[in-house]
Amino acid sequence: MKFSSAFSKLFKVATGIAAGGPLLIVLVIIIALVIDSIPALRYQGWSFFTGTSWNMGNAYASTLSIHGGEKAAFGASFGILPFIVGTLSTSLIALVIAIPVAVLTALILVYKVPKSLGKVISPMIELLAGIPSVVYGLWGILVVAPFVQHVLGPWLMHLGTIIPFLAGPIQTGYGLLTAGLVLAVMIIPIVTSTTRDLLMQVPQLPMEGAYALGLTSFEGIRFIALPWIRRGLFGAVVLGWGRALGETMAVLMVSGGAANMPANLYSAVTTMASAIAADLDSAMNDYTHMSVHALTLLALTLLVITLVTNVAARLLVYLGRRGPDVEVQA
Amino acid sequence: MNVSQPHRTLLDHNAKAKIGKRRMQSYTLWIVSGIFLAAVLGIVLMILGAVAVLGFPGLTAATFLTDTQGIAGGLQNAILGTLVLILASIIISGTLGVLGGMYIAIFAGPKVASVLRFATEVLSGVPSIIIGYFGYTMMVVSWGFGYSLLAAAISLAVLTLPYIVRTTEASLRQVPKSYYEGGLALGLTQEATLRKIMFRPALPGVLTGILLAISIGLGETAPLLFTAGWSNFNPSLQLLHSPVAYLTYVVWTYSQEPFAASHQLAYTAALLLILLLLVLHIVVRLLQRKKVA
């Protein structure tokens, strides 16, 4: 008895330590990133976030660039605005495409598709969420980039007289639009399945009331179901957005990888996540270590952006699920 | 029928036209929804079909029995490397995750539980490249692990840990509280109650979480790029200073090479990944059915 109660206590302590793991890991990552990125902030100042030139400098030059008491390779300048713009613009394109597609798909799945068919379709959409990002990248290279270059791009260019941003030239098909399209396909399953789960929680009675009042099925959805899940839906969208912000490999494969501000919809761009993946190798060759510090600050910036969006989204989904009426129904 | 009669007299021509317009709107939106659904399913089938068609010619015995060399070769090292990485990471994240999930579900008070749950959610929102970056600068460089199984497995474990914690907690919470109280009333310790009474009914859920974690780990590339490195040889099973090959790396790098043989290897690796994920997906479905039953 004594032994087993001692073991029980030990076990409890072990589970407590394990449960603290995620908290500890998050804190360690944030603290390590903050400490490691301070030199970059000292070297570059606040122009780190507003500068448009990302240049690790000439590691073989005989002199060093010194700013703010910190040494870096000659001519090094770290401005991450192109990466921020690339991240935001690709993910916004993805959202603009994904939201209507995902929400309408979820609606038809819940309200129109027969249950037996839905049992086949839902797993397929969930499978889409599980496809590795490199396979999406491969699909982007094989299908989406040529499609943008030869079909969608030339077609959109006709609108260029109205919206100059759509006027070409289209160069390789690898760029902003392609990355946005691939990201859209990656977040559609996330938003679809979350929206579907939320719609299933909408009680039958108000919907039937709406139909009884003579509303068409879509008016019922617009005035009853969508307002019902509003917060949760917003959360689902931001959740998808968070995924798009942090996506690395697929974007790395189809974005064209240029650290420039996009000139038009087809320009090659780079996102923060894919810049980290692409530049870490060469940054390690900078013996002043300033490039690594700069990448750390870039990583920290990305982390802060994704954490803020994710926390906001989860809070909203949580509040959305906690609606008193929804609980009664469940 | 008679009830609706008075209303019908109220409907003038104008109102009828309005209803027609609203019905049209509704139909149009459903048709658009149908097109979107078809498009999403079309994309799923297109991706799966393309990978199957392109990858199939590479599914030969040689692919499984030889290592990658230069621009081509087989995938033996990458397949074994992926399996070793997944196994090692699941040992870490499975242990931590199941224990942590137990604590949050059973032992923790409501306030502590909500803090820990929040931290878990936050961790699951950290982009995988940041975990990889952290793994590189911390483990590979600062701690001197080098490109290694241990650094890669820990990075993958950090990535998959939140999913295991979450599913373990959720499936333990679905077990009726009276089971737990009954166990304690019978004189069992908390640990014994948990292990012998609560864990059995929660097991399908816990396993689902672990399989989910495996499928996430299987498809990840970003956290492995700078922790596992790449090796043309089979995994050495050394924990430190010995790079490991993995399938997603083949898809990424070999698809960028200008050679047909490299492309074939990338397609085959992609097909293998999809097949493995499909199997995991089916097993998860079966487990979920068991959970419901």
Side-chain angles (χ1 to χ4, degrees):
Chain A
M1 195 67 200
K2 209 148 213 183
F3 168 75
S4 67
S5 94
F7 181 70
S8 173
K9 260 198 193 114
L10 198 71
F11 182 78
K12 199 170 159 181
V13 171
T15 59
I17 292 169
L23 183 64
L24 190 72
I25 292 166
V26 170
L27 289 179
V28 167
I29 289 180
I30 292 175
I31 291 168
L33 289 183
V34 168
I35 291 173
D36 204 32
S37 60
I38 287 172
L41 201 57
R42 233 185 261 148
Y43 174 81
Q44 190 70 35
W46 295 108
S47 70
F48 186 83
F49 301 102
T50 54
T52 55
S53 152
W54 177 265
N55 180 359
M56 291 192 195
N58 181 2
Y60 304 104
S62 51
T63 49
L64 294 170
S65 285
I66 299 176
H67 288 290
E70 297 285 341
K71 297 189 200 88
F74 184 71
S77 103
F78 305 102
I80 63 165
L81 193 61
F83 304 142
I84 296 179
V85 170
T87 303
L88 293 181
S89 52
T90 49
S91 61
L92 282 180
I93 291 175
L95 278 187
V96 167
I97 299 165
I99 293 172
V101 174
V103 171
L104 288 179
T105 304
L107 283 174
I108 199 169
L109 269 179
V110 172
Y111 291 112
K112 291 286 168 183
V113 174
K115 261 202 170 145
S116 51
L117 198 61
K119 270 188 185 152
V120 183
I121 295 178
S122 295
M124 277 177 70
I125 292 176
E126 272 158 41
L127 188 67
L128 194 59
I131 291 176
S133 54
V134 280
V135 176
Y136 276 111
L138 201 59
W139 177 67
I141 292 172
L142 291 172
V143 179
V144 185
F147 174 71
V148 165
Q149 190 183 4
H150 300 299
V151 184
L152 187 61
W155 187 78
L156 282 174
M157 269 172 73
H158 293 306
L159 300 174
T161 45
I162 310 163
I163 310 163
F165 197 65
L166 297 181
I170 305 163
Q171 277 149 348
T172 55
Y174 294 89
L176 190 53
L177 182 58
T178 308
L181 285 171
V182 171
L183 282 177
V185 173
M186 295 181 76
I187 61 178
I188 282 172
I190 299 173
V191 183
T192 305
S193 52
T194 319
T195 311
R196 194 201 52 207
D197 291 349
L198 288 165
L199 283 173
M200 304 250 240
Q201 293 177 28
V202 176
Q204 277 292 318
L205 218 52
M207 286 300 280
E208 281 166 7
Y211 297 144
L213 285 171
L215 267 67
T216 62
S217 50
F218 233 99
E219 283 166 345
I221 286 162
R222 208 189 119 197
F223 294 115
I224 309 291
L226 287 186
W228 205 284
I229 64 165
R230 199 180 50 221
R231 277 186 298 190
L233 181 61
F234 185 74
V237 167
V238 184
L239 212 62
W241 190 26
R243 168 90 196 258
L245 288 174
E247 176 49 42
T248 311
M249 299 313 294
V251 175
L252 187 61
M253 290 164 85
V254 299
S255 68
N260 297 324
M261 302 292 274
N264 61 46
L265 192 60
Y266 322 99
S267 302
V269 291
T270 307
T271 64
M272 302 166 83
S274 55
I276 297 169
D279 288 347
L280 187 53
D281 249 350
S282 42
M284 287 317 270
N285 292 329
D286 177 1
Y287 64 94
T288 62
H289 300 302
M290 188 49 70
S291 302
V292 173
H293 293 309
L295 273 189
T296 311
L297 188 51
L298 178 58
L300 184 64
T301 315
L302 174 63
L303 183 65
V304 168
I305 293 175
T306 45
L307 284 192
V308 168
T309 50
N310 263 297
V311 167
R314 282 172 204 284
L315 215 61
L316 283 166
V317 173
Y318 178 72
L319 292 174
R321 286 222 177 103
R322 270 300 188 86
D325 303 306
V326 176
E327 282 222 320
V328 169
Q329 186 64 23
Chain B
M1 265 301 146
N2 283 336
V3 180
S4 62
Q5 211 77 55
H7 293 280
R8 210 166 265 175
T9 59
L10 290 175
L11 290 176
D12 55 50
H13 179 72
N14 208 355
K16 261 185 189 162
K18 249 185 200 164
I19 285 182
K21 203 177 152 198
R22 282 166 48 209
R23 285 218 180 105
M24 273 309 287
Q25 211 175 26
S26 185
Y27 285 139
T28 318
L29 279 166
W30 282 124
I31 289 168
V32 173
S33 308
I35 293 170
F36 282 167
L37 177 64
V40 171
L41 294 180
I43 288 171
V44 181
L45 292 177
M46 190 210 289
I47 294 177
L48 296 183
V51 171
V53 169
L54 292 171
F56 188 72
L59 280 186
T60 58
T63 304
F64 291 94
L65 296 176
T66 53
D67 294 338
T68 44
Q69 287 145 1
I71 58 155
L75 289 169
Q76 193 192 26
N77 50 339
I79 295 168
L80 291 176
T82 298
L83 296 180
V84 168
L85 280 172
I86 296 282
L87 188 71
S89 74
I90 290 298
I91 289 174
I92 301 169
S93 62
T95 314
L96 278 178
V98 171
L99 288 178
M102 282 178 176
Y103 184 82
I104 297 176
I106 308 287
F107 299 131
K111 264 198 184 141
V112 176
S114 69
V115 169
L116 293 175
R117 204 176 296 130
F118 181 72
T120 312
E121 301 282 298
V122 169
L123 182 59
S124 74
V126 175
S128 56
I129 183 69
I130 289 183
I131 294 172
Y133 182 83
F134 179 76
Y136 182 65
T137 54
M138 273 288 137
M139 290 185 276
V140 173
V141 178
S142 297
W143 300 349
F145 285 9
Y147 289 136
S148 58
L149 176 59
L150 189 62
I154 291 176
S155 298
L156 270 189
V158 167
L159 193 82
T160 52
L161 178 63
Y163 299 93
I164 299 182
V165 173
R166 196 187 303 159
T167 45
T168 304
E169 191 214 335
S171 40
L172 277 174
R173 271 192 198 284
Q174 278 170 5
V175 180
K177 192 95 188 163
S178 55
Y179 283 34
Y180 184 63
E181 286 157 358
L184 293 185
L186 286 171
L188 290 173
T189 61
Q190 284 179 320
E191 171 267 332
T193 315
L194 193 55
R195 199 161 46 86
K196 290 182 179 155
I197 296 177
M198 307 257 317
F199 202 63
R200 187 70 57 80
L203 194 59
V206 174
L207 284 180
T208 305
I210 290 177
L211 289 177
L212 190 72
I214 291 178
S215 67
I216 289 167
L218 200 62
E220 272 301 341
T221 318
L224 296 177
L225 277 180
F226 301 110
T227 51
W230 168 257
S231 158
N232 277 328
F233 305 103
N234 285 336
S236 64
L237 298 183
Q238 268 183 301
L239 282 181
L240 301 176
H241 302 291
S242 170
V244 188
Y246 51 99
L247 282 169
T248 47
Y249 180 90
V250 179
V251 181
W252 178 52
T253 34
Y254 282 66
S255 64
Q256 322 250 329
E257 301 276 347
F259 312 105
S262 316
H263 290 176
Q264 184 58 58
L265 212 57
Y267 302 150
T268 309
L271 178 58
L272 284 177
L273 282 169
I274 297 276
L275 287 177
L276 284 171
L277 286 168
L278 215 55
V279 170
L280 282 171
H281 211 73
I282 291 167
V283 175
V284 165
R285 288 264 142 197
L286 293 178
L287 272 176
Q288 269 171 350
R289 201 165 293 165
K290 201 170 176 185
K291 202 165 68 176
V292 174

